[in-house]
Amino acid sequence: RAKLQDAAPPMAAKVVHGVLLEELGSNWRRKFREFDDIPAGAASIGQVHRARTHDGEDVAVKLQRPGIATRIDDDLSLLALSCEALRGSLPPLDLETIVRQISAHVRAEVDYEREARIGAHAAEFFAAVPGVCVPAPLPHLCRRELLTMRFVSGRKLSVVLDELSAARAAGEP
């Protein structure tokens, strides 16, 4: 999973510009003072670019890979067919519910408008909590396949958790 999150091949700038054109319209370049064509990170579903708004705010722009939602739907259809084909070899299970739940959760991963709503609630909820910073989305720059949020410099949560686990294993407090 980490390899898919951290080492997916980046989309070419031309593809990124196509996604921005599709999501923000022909004047997408006017929405940002600066936009870095070199991705800050690439994953299996999309990638993130640094940008700056006209009011000087640093943002992270998360773009979905073109066609990924269709590929996911195809994969989920194959999952359903596979489960049905294997039904006779499996113990009694509610395979329809299992497939439905997996499908709902996977499809939610490609709904960036949903992610923006959840992110906005989380940013508001944690705003007064010292030491916790949730990057708030910029709703006017969010679409179904585009998510723009305030850029927060930090470290990846999985790295921090791995370090804490290693420290505990070594007997450190």
Side-chain angles (χ1 to χ4, degrees):
R1 182 174 173 196
K3 184 172 183 169
L4 285 176
Q5 290 176 340
D6 299 333
M11 291 186 282
K14 182 178 178 179
V15 175
V16 169
H17 296 172
V19 173
L20 289 164
L21 175 68
E22 184 72 27
E23 295 299 308
L24 294 176
S26 60
N27 66 345
W28 74 264
R29 289 185 188 275
R30 290 188 222 136
K31 308 260 185 201
F32 303 100
R33 180 190 303 168
E34 299 170 23
F35 186 90
D36 189 351
D37 282 336
I38 298 170
S44 57
I45 293 174
Q47 68 188 35
V48 175
H49 290 261
R50 297 275 308 263
R52 180 167 288 138
T53 63
H54 286 287
D55 61 1
E57 186 162 20
D58 288 326
V59 294
V61 180
K62 183 177 174 181
L63 303 141
Q64 216 169 96
R65 291 182 184 276
I68 194 69
T70 300
R71 281 185 252 150
I72 286 171
D73 283 343
D74 292 346
D75 287 348
L76 292 171
S77 293
L78 288 173
L79 172 66
L81 287 170
S82 299
C83 286
E84 191 55 40
L86 294 171
R87 182 182 295 279
S89 343
L90 298 171
L93 295 168
D94 184 357
L95 291 174
E96 291 82 12
T97 299
I98 293 169
V99 170
R100 191 171 47 251
Q101 288 295 312
I102 290 170
S103 296
H105 288 286
V106 171
R107 284 189 179 109
E109 291 291 317
V110 294
D111 185 349
Y112 289 178
E113 288 174 321
R114 177 183 178 276
E115 188 173 337
R117 287 190 305 276
I118 292 169
H121 290 301
E124 183 180 334
F125 183 82
F126 287 106
V129 178
V132 176
C133 181
V134 176
L138 282 65
H140 66 287
L141 293 173
C142 293
R143 305 289 186 278
R144 186 163 179 83
E145 297 179 10
L146 171 77
L147 175 64
T148 305
M149 62 186 78
R150 290 181 174 84
F151 181 83
V152 176
S153 184
R155 297 180 346 145
K156 189 173 176 182
L157 181 60
S158 61
V159 171
V160 173
L161 292 174
D162 288 345
E163 290 171 356
L164 287 171
S165 180
R168 282 192 193 129
E172 297 175 23

